Amino acid sequence: MKIFKLFLVFCFSFLFLSYFCEAKDTDYAYLNFENLNFKASHFLLYNLDDEKVVYQKGSDEKISIASLTKIMTAMVALLHYEDLDQPVKIPNEAFYNTSGYAMAGFKRNETVTIRDLLYGTLLPSGVEAAQALAVLTAGSIDNFVQMMNDLKEKIGMPSTHFSNPVGRDDIENYSTLEDVQKLLLYALHHEVFKEIYTTRFYETTNHLKLYSTLVAPSEKYFLDVTNIEGSKSGFTKEAGLCLSSLAEYNGIHYLLIVARSPYQNGFPNHIVDSLEIYNYFNDHYAYQNLFSVEEPIVTLTVQDGEILEYPIYVEQNIPLYLDKEAIFDYHYEGINVLNRKIKKNDYLGKIHVYYHQQLLYSQDVYLKETLKYRYTDYKIIGLFLTFVFLVFLILKFRKKSKKKK
């Protein structure tokens, strides 16, 4: 019995370690990344052009996401209001439990617009702006949280639950970076959300100056955030420093989420982590053309043709996201010798492209034109001999006819 128990413990331990030690694949399974080290323990880099995950770590783990929660808060409000410029009074409930959290600077009973509150929620991550939106939209924070959870079901965020609209650490307020990515992709399709997300400065109708949380740290520590087009940050003790961002590097559009970057005396590790990830992939990866339209991929032999060789070209480039030093292996499988039986548009075979012994791409090959052949085909010779034989028979028949006369 004791041996059996030990056996069960061993099996459980093996399954546990196998599950948690296995690296999760990205959508670019053909890429071979070296072991990259960043201070953030969780991150997800997404190529918006290909709609694929480039690189990730811990993206499916349920964690506290701090003020990234406010992305959902803003979306619920945006979907509720048709007129974002309607005047509203900031309710007293907006200032519930705000101690220790970032504030936008609004005051009780102050008249502003819904648009002002949205900017206050997303740019400086104002807790009073987010709670004001919640109360004004749903009548109470609890009702608003229900709306948040209803929307996450609609978007398809199975590993997410909200318990508050501001991102307080709570056992019932959690998500994964995979789900946050889905939320951001959904939100960025909303024109007003994208406009706010990509803004760094906004002045409210009551002349309150709001700055993105990206501005002050990047200026203080001389961080080049030129390529970052938009962002939303967050911080709690549980979540650490978090940052979602939208960026363009050399024509490639990325979405990046980092979480649990360590807090060290106010140093913006979340921004530094994001820049290091962006710069690494910008330095080492780009779109590479698999083929050259000027050089043949394979050359086939033409049997008894006016030309002895027929080169196969690829008519258009196939760009793939790859490391800049990528070297490809090309393999052709199919007909190697062309003859009279093969006509224009007939299927010839396939070209396979390999990268690090992994199949990247396959393309069918067809004969694109009618080939000309020399007249030495046996069929032609046979027809000629048949013709000669018929002439011979005709002449012979005529001779016999004359003799009879």
Side-chain angles (χ1 to χ4, degrees), residues 23-266:
K24 190 173 184 293
D25 289 336
T26 69
D27 293 331
Y28 293 102
Y30 53 81
L31 295 182
N32 294 313
F33 299 115
E34 58 187 73
N35 190 20
L36 307 180
N37 293 314
F38 306 104
K39 290 185 178 179
S41 63
H42 295 66
F43 48 82
L44 184 151
L45 179 65
Y46 185 81
N47 183 332
L48 286 163
D49 302 315
D50 279 355
E51 298 182 346
K52 291 182 178 181
V53 175
V54 180
Y55 194 60
Q56 67 77 39
K57 181 181 177 183
S59 63
D60 57 353
E61 182 183 342
K62 292 178 182 178
I63 58 172
S64 176
I65 59 169
S67 288
L68 299 185
T69 300
K70 295 189 180 83
I71 297 168
M72 177 61 85
T73 302
M75 277 310 302
V76 171
L78 275 169
L79 295 174
H80 178 78
Y81 289 99
E82 292 185 4
D83 181 9
L84 300 179
D85 296 311
Q86 62 177 286
V88 292
K89 279 192 176 183
I90 298 179
N92 288 328
E93 296 93 326
F95 298 88
Y96 166 75
N97 194 16
T98 58
S99 178
Y101 291 90
M103 303 283 282
F106 295 109
K107 295 179 175 59
R108 285 179 174 83
N109 298 316
E110 189 173 28
T111 299
V112 294
T113 66
I114 295 297
R115 191 181 303 273
D116 291 337
L117 292 174
L118 286 165
Y119 274 94
T121 297
L122 291 174
L123 265 60
S125 200
V127 64
E128 87 281 25
Q131 293 189 150
L133 280 177
V135 173
L136 291 168
T137 300
S140 72
I141 288 177
D142 287 344
N143 289 343
F144 188 83
V145 168
Q146 183 59 54
M147 292 173 71
M148 293 171 72
N149 285 310
D150 289 344
L151 183 55
K152 70 99 178 175
E153 290 293 332
K154 178 183 175 182
I155 295 171
M157 301 166 62
S159 300
T160 298
H161 188 269
F162 296 107
S163 66
N164 63 81
V166 299
R168 292 187 183 89
D169 287 335
D170 187 294
I171 195 171
E172 292 300 320
N173 201 89
Y174 58 83
S175 187
T176 66
L177 299 195
E178 289 180 350
D179 277 6
V180 174
Q181 172 212 322
K182 293 176 186 177
L183 171 59
L184 266 171
L185 291 175
Y186 176 85
L188 288 168
H189 278 93
H190 193 288
E191 185 179 344
V192 176
F193 178 90
K194 187 173 183 179
E195 180 184 335
I196 299 172
Y197 190 82
T198 54
T199 296
R200 299 208 177 167
F201 170 76
Y202 175 79
E203 185 172 347
T204 66
T205 53
N206 62 331
H207 306 297
L208 185 64
K209 292 177 171 59
L210 304 176
Y211 292 88
S212 163
T213 54
L214 197 68
V215 174
S218 61
E219 290 180 351
K220 181 178 179 179
Y221 293 97
F222 304 101
L223 301 174
D224 183 4
V225 294
T226 307
N227 295 92
I228 296 180
E229 298 177 336
S231 65
K232 176 71 192 79
S233 67
F235 170 73
T236 64
K237 289 182 179 179
E238 174 82 17
L241 289 165
C242 306
L243 183 68
S244 70
S245 59
L246 194 66
E248 179 185 348
Y249 283 80
N250 289 321
I252 303 175
H253 301 85
Y254 296 100
L255 186 153
L256 173 63
I257 310 160
V258 300
R260 289 189 175 173
S261 282
Y263 179 83
Q264 297 171 320
N265 298 318

Side-chain angles (χ1 to χ4, degrees), residues 190-385:
H190 193 288
E191 185 179 344
V192 176
F193 178 90
K194 187 173 183 179
E195 180 184 335
I196 299 172
Y197 190 82
T198 54
T199 296
R200 299 208 177 167
F201 170 76
Y202 175 79
E203 185 172 347
T204 66
T205 53
N206 62 331
H207 306 297
L208 185 64
K209 292 177 171 59
L210 304 176
Y211 292 88
S212 163
T213 54
L214 197 68
V215 174
S218 61
E219 290 180 351
K220 181 178 179 179
Y221 293 97
F222 304 101
L223 301 174
D224 183 4
V225 294
T226 307
N227 295 92
I228 296 180
E229 298 177 336
S231 65
K232 176 71 192 79
S233 67
F235 170 73
T236 64
K237 289 182 179 179
E238 174 82 17
L241 289 165
C242 306
L243 183 68
S244 70
S245 59
L246 194 66
E248 179 185 348
Y249 283 80
N250 289 321
I252 303 175
H253 301 85
Y254 296 100
L255 186 153
L256 173 63
I257 310 160
V258 300
R260 289 189 175 173
S261 282
Y263 179 83
Q264 297 171 320
N265 298 318
F267 187 77
N269 280 314
H270 54 329
I271 301 176
V272 172
D273 273 332
S274 297
L275 291 174
E276 286 183 355
I277 292 171
Y278 281 135
N279 287 326
Y280 174 85
F281 283 92
N282 180 53
D283 290 343
H284 293 86
Y285 293 86
Y287 281 95
Q288 306 292 320
N289 289 324
L290 294 187
F291 304 106
S292 169
V293 294
E294 299 172 354
E295 297 179 4
I297 298 302
V298 66
T299 300
L300 307 182
T301 300
V302 182
Q303 185 183 63
D304 199 34
E306 289 189 359
I307 58 171
L308 300 179
E309 293 181 330
Y310 181 77
I312 300 292
Y313 293 89
V314 174
E315 295 178 351
Q316 64 180 33
N317 287 320
I318 308 296
L320 278 185
Y321 187 80
L322 291 159
D323 68 81
K324 293 181 179 181
E325 304 300 323
I327 298 175
F328 309 122
D329 292 322
Y330 301 95
H331 295 279
Y332 169 76
E333 58 179 31
I335 297 170
N336 291 304
V337 179
L338 300 176
N339 57 46
R340 295 174 187 276
K341 294 180 180 179
I342 302 170
K343 306 299 182 184
K344 182 180 178 181
N345 297 325
D346 280 357
Y347 174 77
L348 300 179
K350 280 184 182 290
I351 292 172
H352 302 294
V353 185
Y354 290 88
Y355 166 76
H356 290 309
Q357 299 181 335
Q358 295 185 65
L359 180 63
L360 278 186
Y361 181 80
S362 293
Q363 179 163 309
D364 292 337
V365 177
Y366 298 87
L367 186 62
K368 296 295 184 183
E369 57 189 287
T370 301
L371 298 180
K372 293 181 179 180
Y373 293 88
R374 295 194 293 266
Y375 294 103
T376 57
D377 191 8
Y378 292 119
K379 284 187 177 179
I380 294 174
I381 294 172
L383 288 171
F384 177 74
L385 292 174

